[in-house]
Amino acid sequence: MSSAKNTPEELGLLSSPVNGEQLNQLQQAVSQLSPQQLAWVSGYFWGLSQSSQPSTGAVPASAPAAKPAGQLTIIYASQTGNAKGVAEALEQEAQAKGLPVRLFDASDYKGKDLAKETHVVIVASTNGEGEAPDNALELHEFLQSKKAPKLPNLKYGVIGLGDSSYEFFCQTGKDFDAFLSKLGATPFMARVDCDVDYEASASEWRGKALELLSDAISESQAEVVQLPLGQASITQTQYTKQNPYTATLLTNQKITGRDSGKDVRHIEIDLEDSGISYQPGDALGVWYQNSSALANQILKAVGLSGVEGVEVDGESLSIHQALISAFEITASNPQMISQIAERSESKLLNDLVADKDKLREYSAGTQVIDVLLEAQIKLTAEELTQIFRRLTPRMYSIASSQSEVDEEVHLTVGLVEFDHNGERRHGGASGFLTQRLEEGEPVKVFVEHNKNFKLPQDDNTPVIMVGPGTGIAPFRSFIQERDNRGAGGKNWLFFGDRTFTQDFLYQVEWQKYLKSGALTRMDVAFSRDQHEKVYVQHRILENAPQIWQWINEGAYIYVCGDATRMAKDVHDALITVAKQEGGLEQSAAEAYINDLRKAKRYQRDVY
């Protein structure tokens, strides 16, 4: 027997489960990695080792106690997809810096796991009047409950997305900030509240945050714990908000009557050869061009000719072209009015700035050109661009199923139009789609997937749909989809508008579906066809016993349309149904309906 002693390296190989060649390959593979990348790989391999072994519930005696690893967890609370997009951008930027990072939909994240985190960023949009998005309802509620863990070791950041025209601007982001702070967590960077043109401010925050996180996470010396391997993957599509597809307008058909007080259009867009796919419940983003005539009116109001040059994203443009393609020049907003008022001697504008409620009300009903005409101020081209928000795409609920229309996408677009001091005003996107874009002309679009407004997976599940006005759009896609799938579940549609003869959108189609049985039942409410105003919530209350029966049979409830009044009235009607038919007290009925939302049996697409 040889008496020669083994070297330390040889002893290591003798006790190691890998052979010399494997060890050499590992050493070569990790030789170029940074310390934080090594930490991530360590955790990754540890996770693989655990997932490949049968779970016994016991921790091996030789395993050290797991401690939270320095890593970044990103959670997005998103209704229409904007917060999701910001979160995905942060994930990609963190990966580029070599940081260990995970991305979660808020509905997939367990609140108690915050106690295991070191660094968390929450990207949160605000839904309706200060509500959390549907995918974040449970997390939002959990963090306010007694079950929420203390978080003394957590460092966090919050990006809030919202619209400053609304009273509860970025409320969900503010809520998450307050909840985490109350639980003992420490912000590594102050929250940012982003307006509708959020890209620049969100990008700036992400850049500064990652500088701080790179240092903080690389300094973390704690052992690495297993990274979840069952995390849902994020679907990447070729065409996005930043890289839209240039489609073609096929059809622009008015579907309200000649004497209607509304102009609603059925829009068909060609997606041929794009490879774009969508599901019922998804939205289509439309990048639109502003009216050249409106741009000229604005330029005249502030004393510009239109040929003055400005720089936009590194590109030199005439101010006239910049107003058409790069800025929101139709809808006003409180911040813009406040900036204009500072330069103006208008008593009206300055009085409004002193009263936030009146300012919001004025902003909601007044367009940019009318504010400038009231202000009577002169501006340079550069000053003019500084008061405007950047142009953002408009999101429209898709009104078609690809199983029915193949390489097309359909929309139901109501033209925003009204008179102001004898002048006709049109909405920016709706005016573009219904008035200025000709059939055969190009339009830039992208699909925004909405996992929070989806048909039940079980085709036998009953469905109740409430969609007055253009809120009918997604339910056209729902019925097309269920009809093509041969779904056996019952379908009940509530539709409302002004008059039966002028405003019954897609009436012939609904009659066809009722006749074939694809649509089980349809109840309508035409508010101006009788002395007393009747709306969809009244029809729900009139049918309370049947609604309750469908709910007890497992029905899913969907609501699409106006968030300010209709959605709230329908919500209150459903609570009344639960009280009336279920014998519940007010608080119990509210909790019951809220539980339906958490279970995704009550979904809303409201705006």
Side-chain angles (χ1 to χ4, degrees):
M1 188 174 182
S2 173
S3 61
K5 292 185 178 180
N6 297 105
T7 65
E9 290 80 4
E10 290 170 332
L11 286 171
L13 281 174
L14 288 171
S15 61
S16 170
V18 297
N19 59 38
E21 183 181 351
Q22 290 172 324
L23 183 62
N24 185 51
Q25 290 175 336
L26 280 173
Q27 289 171 337
Q28 290 181 3
V30 303
S31 62
Q32 302 299 317
L33 297 182
S34 67
Q36 55 261 52
Q37 288 172 322
L38 283 169
W40 187 91
V41 169
S42 163
Y44 176 73
F45 285 145
W46 189 91
L48 285 179
S49 73
Q50 299 307 299
S51 64
S52 63
Q53 299 174 15
S55 176
T56 63
V59 178
S62 60
K67 298 179 182 179
Q71 65 181 353
L72 171 61
T73 296
I74 307 165
I75 304 168
Y76 62 84
S78 185
Q79 194 70 25
T80 63
N82 287 337
K84 176 184 173 184
V86 171
E88 288 174 341
L90 178 59
E91 178 197 30
Q92 292 163 9
E93 290 160 359
Q95 289 172 337
K97 284 183 170 286
L99 292 176
V101 59
R102 301 180 297 167
L103 179 67
F104 287 93
D105 181 306
S107 63
D108 296 329
Y109 189 83
K110 294 180 180 179
K112 61 184 178 64
D113 287 346
L114 285 168
K116 305 173 186 177
E117 307 284 5
T118 60
H119 298 82
V120 167
V121 171
I122 295 180
V123 187
S125 63
T126 296
N127 186 28
E129 293 297 315
E131 297 179 7
D134 288 349
N135 77 318
L137 286 171
E138 285 196 68
L139 183 62
H140 189 269
E141 184 175 296
F142 175 81
L143 291 178
Q144 302 173 70
S145 72
K146 293 180 180 179
K147 296 180 180 180
K150 297 300 180 184
L151 304 171
N153 300 316
L154 178 66
K155 303 294 188 292
Y156 74 91
V158 176
I159 302 176
L161 303 184
D163 183 340
S164 58
S165 301
Y166 289 88
E167 180 179 358
F168 299 102
F169 174 54
C170 287
Q171 187 60 50
T172 304
K174 294 173 183 176
D175 287 348
F176 278 122
D177 191 2
F179 298 158
L180 294 175
S181 178
K182 188 175 181 179
L183 293 170
T186 305
F188 65 80
M189 187 168 164
R191 185 189 75 245
V192 61
D193 295 332
C194 305
D195 215 330
V196 290
D197 50 349
Y198 59 85
E199 284 90 348
S201 52
S203 178
E204 181 182 1
W205 190 95
R206 294 197 307 265
K208 293 179 179 177
L210 287 173
E211 289 181 15
L212 297 173
L213 289 167
S214 294
D215 293 337
I217 292 176
S218 64
E219 289 172 4
S220 174
Q221 298 300 315
E223 286 90 345
V224 179
V225 296
Q226 176 183 2
L227 297 177
L229 302 176
Q231 167 187 350
S233 62
I234 303 298
T235 302
Q236 300 293 336
T237 57
Q238 179 182 357
Y239 298 106
T240 63
K241 180 179 180 180
Q242 292 74 27
N243 178 40
Y245 174 69
T246 303
T248 303
L249 178 66
L250 291 174
T251 302
N252 173 0
Q253 178 185 358
K254 187 177 181 184
I255 55 174
T256 43
R258 182 183 303 172
D259 298 322
S260 173
K262 295 181 179 181
D263 185 343
V264 178
R265 305 296 178 102
H266 173 71
I267 301 292
E268 297 182 0
I269 293 171
D270 187 6
L271 302 177
E272 188 175 5
D273 297 330
S274 68
I276 290 175
S277 63
Y278 58 86
Q279 296 294 322
D282 288 344
L284 189 76
V286 177
W287 281 103
Y288 64 97
Q289 295 277 301
N290 287 312
S291 162
S292 176
L294 177 60
N296 285 332
Q297 283 184 287
I298 289 172
L299 293 167
K300 182 179 178 182
V302 298
L304 294 172
S305 68
V307 300
E308 295 86 354
V310 291
E311 188 170 292
V312 180
D313 297 333
E315 182 181 3
S316 295
L317 300 173
S318 71
I319 184 62
H320 180 262
Q321 182 57 44
L323 293 189
I324 291 174
S325 62
F327 294 96
E328 169 60 81
I329 65 170
T330 307
S332 65
N333 62 81
Q335 282 66 33
M336 184 206 72
I337 295 172
S338 298
Q339 291 181 59
I340 292 174
E342 288 178 6
R343 297 175 165 91
S344 172
E345 296 180 1
S346 166
K347 185 177 186 303
L348 169 65
L349 296 182
N350 283 284
D351 286 348
L352 286 169
V353 170
D355 188 326
K356 290 185 177 180
D357 290 336
K358 288 183 178 178
L359 177 60
R360 275 193 296 271
E361 183 180 350
Y362 177 81
S363 170
T366 310
Q367 293 195 344
V368 170
I369 180 60
D370 298 308
V371 179
L372 291 172
L373 290 173
E374 168 65 31
Q376 294 291 304
I377 57 174
K378 301 302 178 186
L379 297 172
T380 67
E382 186 68 27
E383 288 171 335
L384 184 61
T385 62
Q386 288 173 356
I387 68 170
F388 287 137
R389 290 171 168 172
R390 291 298 298 271
L391 192 69
T392 56
R394 290 292 191 270
M395 308 302 299
Y396 290 98
S397 298
I398 292 175
S400 56
S401 162
Q402 279 193 301
S403 60
E404 177 84 11
V405 303
D406 199 20
E407 292 186 304
E408 294 180 8
V409 62
H410 298 177
L411 306 176
T412 309
V413 179
L415 173 63
V416 176
E417 59 178 340
F418 58 92
D419 289 323
H420 184 88
N421 293 334
E423 293 277 345
R424 197 66 167 166
R425 302 292 184 226
H426 290 142
S430 65
F432 171 73
L433 281 172
T434 67
Q435 303 288 302
R436 299 193 298 278
L437 188 66
E438 298 291 335
E439 292 180 357
E441 290 187 338
V443 54
K444 293 182 177 181
V445 301
F446 61 96
V447 169
E448 194 67 68
H449 300 291
N450 184 0
K451 65 176 289 185
N452 301 306
F453 201 75
K454 283 286 175 283
L455 282 166
Q457 290 185 348
D458 184 351
D459 281 346
N460 293 312
T461 303
V463 166
I464 299 171
M465 300 162 284
V466 184
T470 56
I472 198 69
F475 304 132
R476 183 174 182 265
S477 76
F478 277 23
I479 294 299
Q480 286 183 355
E481 178 75 9
R482 293 200 111 190
D483 184 42
N484 277 275
R485 284 185 355 201
K490 298 183 293 184
N491 301 298
W492 188 350
L493 176 62
F494 288 85
F495 173 73
D497 216 309
R498 293 179 178 177
T499 68
F500 174 86
T501 58
Q502 303 295 319
D503 305 298
F504 198 163
L505 307 183
Y506 301 113
Q507 178 185 359
V508 173
E509 291 187 25
W510 301 131
Q511 290 172 332
K512 180 193 73 173
Y513 286 127
L514 283 166
K515 186 176 180 180
S516 71
L519 185 57
T520 311
R521 178 170 177 176
M522 184 172 191
D523 282 84
V524 296
F526 294 103
S527 60
R528 300 188 182 183
D529 277 350
Q530 60 284 308
H531 180 68
E532 295 290 334
K533 294 287 180 69
V534 177
Y535 299 107
V536 285
Q537 64 267 24
H538 299 132
R539 297 298 186 220
I540 290 172
L541 292 173
E542 289 170 4
N543 293 281
Q546 294 84 359
I547 293 282
W548 188 247
Q549 181 182 337
W550 278 50
I551 290 174
N552 286 327
E553 292 173 356
Y556 278 48
I557 304 168
Y558 299 89
V559 179
C560 182
D562 170 56
T564 308
R565 294 185 180 178
M566 182 278 297
K568 183 180 184 302
D569 291 338
V570 168
H571 183 79
D572 291 342
L574 292 172
I575 291 172
T576 301
V577 169
K579 287 169 59 180
Q580 226 172 258
E581 304 303 320
L584 303 176
E585 297 294 331
Q586 178 71 25
S587 59
E590 291 174 357
Y592 181 85
I593 297 301
N594 197 39
D595 285 344
L596 288 180
R597 286 186 71 181
K598 292 178 187 175
K600 295 190 182 296
R601 284 184 53 199
Y602 172 26
Q603 301 179 27
R604 306 195 302 174
D605 179 9
V606 297
Y607 38 85

